[in-house]
Amino acid sequence: MIRIGPAGIPLSCKDRTNRDGVIYTRNLGLSAMEIQFARGFISEEEAREIKDVAKKCDIELHVHAPYYINLAGDKRNVDIGMEKIRKSAHLAHIMGAKTVATHTGFYGSLSKKETMRRIVKNIRALRNELKKKGVEVPIGIETMGKKAVFGSLDEVVEVCKRVRGVVPVLDIAHIHARGNGCLKEKGDFQKIFDRVADLDLDHYLVHITGVAYNKEGEIYHVPIRKGDIPFIKFMECIIENGYHVTLISESPIVEHDAVYSQILLDRALEMIK
Ligand SMILES: [Zn+2]
C-alpha cells in the first residue's frame, strides 16, 4: 500500500488547526499527514482529537519533532534535544502515530565516529526510557541533506542497526543533494532500498520534495517540478517491488506536490500495467 500526504497543515487549508488539516487532506484525496511541532507543541487533548479525526478520515499519522536538535552537542544541547524528542514521542503515542521523525545532530568539531557514538548513546537511552513508560512508537532517524550534518544514509542505517525501535526516514531530496545529484535512474532509487534491506522493514516512511544543492549538499527545498529528481522512476521502483510506503511532501508547495505525486504514481501504475 502506498499512502501520500502533506508535511504539516496544507497551505490552502483556511483553518490553521491540525484537526482541520486532517479533514482537508482527506478532501484532497490524500491518505497520510505528518504532524509538525516546528512551531511548538500541542496539548494532549488536541492530540486525542487528532487521533479521532484521523481515524474517521482514514489518514495515517506521523509526527515530526522540532527541527533544531543536537544529540552530539554539550550537556545542555543534549538535554534540550532529548526533551523535544521525548515530548514529540508522547504526543505521537497519544495520537496513534506510526513514527516520530527527528533530526539528530551535527559533527561540529567532532570526528564522525565520536558524533555517531554520542548519538547512538543518547538515542538508546531515550528509547529505553520511552519503552519503560509504554511509549513504543518507533523513532525515525532522517537522512540529512547538508554534508556538515549527521545523517548520511550509511550513518542512519548504522544507528538503526545499533538501537532497537529506531527506523530510517528516507528523505529522498536529502540523499540526492548530499550525493551531488546521485538519483538519476530507477536503479539509483533501488540502491536506497537495498541499502536498508538488512533492517527488515515492512514499511518505509519517505520524505519527498525538489531540492537545490551545491557541493556542500542541500541549499533549500524547491517544488518537485523545479528540481532534477525523476520521481516517476522512484514511483516505478516502489510499485515494481510492492513496497509498503508512505510519502510525505515537504515541498514548498506542500499539498500541490502531494497531489502531483499521486498523479505520478497513477501514471507509473498505468505504464507498468
Ligand atoms: Zn526533517
PDB file of all heavy atoms in Angstrom, residues 34 64 67 101-103 142 144 171 174 207 250, ligand 1:
ATOM      1  N   GLU A  34       1.862  14.324   8.141  1.00  0.00           N
ATOM      2  CA  GLU A  34       2.883  14.413   9.179  1.00  0.00           C
ATOM      3  C   GLU A  34       2.553  15.637  10.035  1.00  0.00           C
ATOM      4  O   GLU A  34       2.477  16.743   9.519  1.00  0.00           O
ATOM      5  CB  GLU A  34       4.266  14.558   8.536  1.00  0.00           C
ATOM      6  CG  GLU A  34       5.396  14.283   9.495  1.00  0.00           C
ATOM      7  CD  GLU A  34       6.736  14.192   8.769  1.00  0.00           C
ATOM      8  OE1 GLU A  34       7.336  15.245   8.506  1.00  0.00           O
ATOM      9  OE2 GLU A  34       7.177  13.080   8.455  1.00  0.00           O
ATOM     10  N   HIS A  64       6.616  14.897  13.305  1.00  0.00           N
ATOM     11  CA  HIS A  64       7.993  15.383  13.130  1.00  0.00           C
ATOM     12  C   HIS A  64       8.350  16.239  14.346  1.00  0.00           C
ATOM     13  O   HIS A  64       7.669  17.213  14.642  1.00  0.00           O
ATOM     14  CB  HIS A  64       8.115  16.198  11.842  1.00  0.00           C
ATOM     15  CG  HIS A  64       9.540  16.348  11.366  1.00  0.00           C
ATOM     16  ND1 HIS A  64      10.558  16.776  12.193  1.00  0.00           N
ATOM     17  CD2 HIS A  64      10.120  16.110  10.167  1.00  0.00           C
ATOM     18  CE1 HIS A  64      11.694  16.789  11.501  1.00  0.00           C
ATOM     19  NE2 HIS A  64      11.462  16.394  10.271  1.00  0.00           N
ATOM     20  N   TYR A  67      12.815  20.938  14.607  1.00  0.00           N
ATOM     21  CA  TYR A  67      13.983  20.716  13.739  1.00  0.00           C
ATOM     22  C   TYR A  67      15.321  20.800  14.443  1.00  0.00           C
ATOM     23  O   TYR A  67      16.221  20.016  14.193  1.00  0.00           O
ATOM     24  CB  TYR A  67      13.995  21.721  12.575  1.00  0.00           C
ATOM     25  CG  TYR A  67      12.821  21.572  11.645  1.00  0.00           C
ATOM     26  CD1 TYR A  67      12.143  22.681  11.139  1.00  0.00           C
ATOM     27  CD2 TYR A  67      12.384  20.308  11.264  1.00  0.00           C
ATOM     28  CE1 TYR A  67      11.067  22.534  10.289  1.00  0.00           C
ATOM     29  CE2 TYR A  67      11.303  20.148  10.418  1.00  0.00           C
ATOM     30  CZ  TYR A  67      10.644  21.269   9.932  1.00  0.00           C
ATOM     31  OH  TYR A  67       9.589  21.120   9.091  1.00  0.00           O
ATOM     32  N   ALA A 101       9.434  11.207  13.614  1.00  0.00           N
ATOM     33  CA  ALA A 101      10.642  11.511  12.841  1.00  0.00           C
ATOM     34  C   ALA A 101      11.441  12.612  13.533  1.00  0.00           C
ATOM     35  O   ALA A 101      10.859  13.537  14.104  1.00  0.00           O
ATOM     36  CB  ALA A 101      10.262  11.969  11.432  1.00  0.00           C
ATOM     37  N   THR A 102      12.756  12.484  13.489  1.00  0.00           N
ATOM     38  CA  THR A 102      13.590  13.516  14.112  1.00  0.00           C
ATOM     39  C   THR A 102      14.937  13.683  13.409  1.00  0.00           C
ATOM     40  O   THR A 102      15.407  12.773  12.735  1.00  0.00           O
ATOM     41  CB  THR A 102      13.819  13.197  15.616  1.00  0.00           C
ATOM     42  OG1 THR A 102      14.541  14.280  16.216  1.00  0.00           O
ATOM     43  CG2 THR A 102      14.621  11.922  15.816  1.00  0.00           C
ATOM     44  N   HIS A 103      15.513  14.867  13.564  1.00  0.00           N
ATOM     45  CA  HIS A 103      16.905  15.105  13.180  1.00  0.00           C
ATOM     46  C   HIS A 103      17.726  14.748  14.418  1.00  0.00           C
ATOM     47  O   HIS A 103      17.191  14.744  15.526  1.00  0.00           O
ATOM     48  CB  HIS A 103      17.122  16.574  12.817  1.00  0.00           C
ATOM     49  CG  HIS A 103      16.189  17.052  11.737  1.00  0.00           C
ATOM     50  ND1 HIS A 103      16.084  18.365  11.369  1.00  0.00           N
ATOM     51  CD2 HIS A 103      15.314  16.375  10.946  1.00  0.00           C
ATOM     52  CE1 HIS A 103      15.198  18.478  10.394  1.00  0.00           C
ATOM     53  NE2 HIS A 103      14.708  17.292  10.123  1.00  0.00           N
ATOM     54  N   GLU A 142      16.157  10.692  10.338  1.00  0.00           N
ATOM     55  CA  GLU A 142      16.062  11.191   8.966  1.00  0.00           C
ATOM     56  C   GLU A 142      17.425  11.314   8.283  1.00  0.00           C
ATOM     57  O   GLU A 142      18.394  11.732   8.901  1.00  0.00           O
ATOM     58  CB  GLU A 142      15.396  12.566   9.042  1.00  0.00           C
ATOM     59  CG  GLU A 142      14.974  13.122   7.720  1.00  0.00           C
ATOM     60  CD  GLU A 142      14.201  14.427   7.899  1.00  0.00           C
ATOM     61  OE1 GLU A 142      13.466  14.563   8.898  1.00  0.00           O
ATOM     62  OE2 GLU A 142      14.349  15.304   7.043  1.00  0.00           O
ATOM     63  N   MET A 144      19.901  13.324   6.149  1.00  0.00           N
ATOM     64  CA  MET A 144      20.016  14.786   6.092  1.00  0.00           C
ATOM     65  C   MET A 144      20.772  15.245   4.843  1.00  0.00           C
ATOM     66  O   MET A 144      21.675  14.567   4.360  1.00  0.00           O
ATOM     67  CB  MET A 144      20.700  15.294   7.351  1.00  0.00           C
ATOM     68  CG  MET A 144      19.962  14.934   8.653  1.00  0.00           C
ATOM     69  SD  MET A 144      18.252  15.550   8.741  1.00  0.00           S
ATOM     70  CE  MET A 144      18.560  17.298   8.907  1.00  0.00           C
ATOM     71  N   ASP A 171      14.649  10.537   3.406  1.00  0.00           N
ATOM     72  CA  ASP A 171      14.402  11.812   2.751  1.00  0.00           C
ATOM     73  C   ASP A 171      15.141  11.780   1.414  1.00  0.00           C
ATOM     74  O   ASP A 171      16.363  11.907   1.352  1.00  0.00           O
ATOM     75  CB  ASP A 171      14.881  12.975   3.637  1.00  0.00           C
ATOM     76  CG  ASP A 171      14.424  14.307   3.077  1.00  0.00           C
ATOM     77  OD1 ASP A 171      14.682  14.555   1.892  1.00  0.00           O
ATOM     78  OD2 ASP A 171      13.800  15.083   3.821  1.00  0.00           O
ATOM     79  N   HIS A 174      17.161  14.852   0.322  1.00  0.00           N
ATOM     80  CA  HIS A 174      18.389  14.992   1.106  1.00  0.00           C
ATOM     81  C   HIS A 174      19.464  14.018   0.624  1.00  0.00           C
ATOM     82  O   HIS A 174      20.629  14.370   0.525  1.00  0.00           O
ATOM     83  CB  HIS A 174      18.102  14.764   2.596  1.00  0.00           C
ATOM     84  CG  HIS A 174      17.334  15.901   3.217  1.00  0.00           C
ATOM     85  ND1 HIS A 174      16.772  15.817   4.466  1.00  0.00           N
ATOM     86  CD2 HIS A 174      17.049  17.137   2.746  1.00  0.00           C
ATOM     87  CE1 HIS A 174      16.169  16.968   4.748  1.00  0.00           C
ATOM     88  NE2 HIS A 174      16.319  17.781   3.722  1.00  0.00           N
ATOM     89  N   HIS A 207      10.320  11.042   2.765  1.00  0.00           N
ATOM     90  CA  HIS A 207      10.049  12.468   2.549  1.00  0.00           C
ATOM     91  C   HIS A 207      10.397  12.817   1.105  1.00  0.00           C
ATOM     92  O   HIS A 207      11.451  12.402   0.624  1.00  0.00           O
ATOM     93  CB  HIS A 207      10.922  13.332   3.474  1.00  0.00           C
ATOM     94  CG  HIS A 207      10.460  13.325   4.892  1.00  0.00           C
ATOM     95  ND1 HIS A 207      11.236  13.813   5.922  1.00  0.00           N
ATOM     96  CD2 HIS A 207       9.305  12.905   5.459  1.00  0.00           C
ATOM     97  CE1 HIS A 207      10.567  13.687   7.053  1.00  0.00           C
ATOM     98  NE2 HIS A 207       9.406  13.134   6.805  1.00  0.00           N
ATOM     99  N   GLU A 250       7.374  17.433   1.572  1.00  0.00           N
ATOM    100  CA  GLU A 250       7.976  18.563   2.303  1.00  0.00           C
ATOM    101  C   GLU A 250       8.339  19.666   1.322  1.00  0.00           C
ATOM    102  O   GLU A 250       9.202  20.494   1.567  1.00  0.00           O
ATOM    103  CB  GLU A 250       9.218  18.093   3.069  1.00  0.00           C
ATOM    104  CG  GLU A 250       8.879  17.223   4.265  1.00  0.00           C
ATOM    105  CD  GLU A 250      10.042  17.058   5.231  1.00  0.00           C
ATOM    106  OE1 GLU A 250      11.193  17.244   4.820  1.00  0.00           O
ATOM    107  OE2 GLU A 250       9.783  16.745   6.406  1.00  0.00           O
TER     108      GLU A 250
HETATM  109 ZN    ZN B   1      13.098  16.634   8.808  1.00  0.00          ZN
END
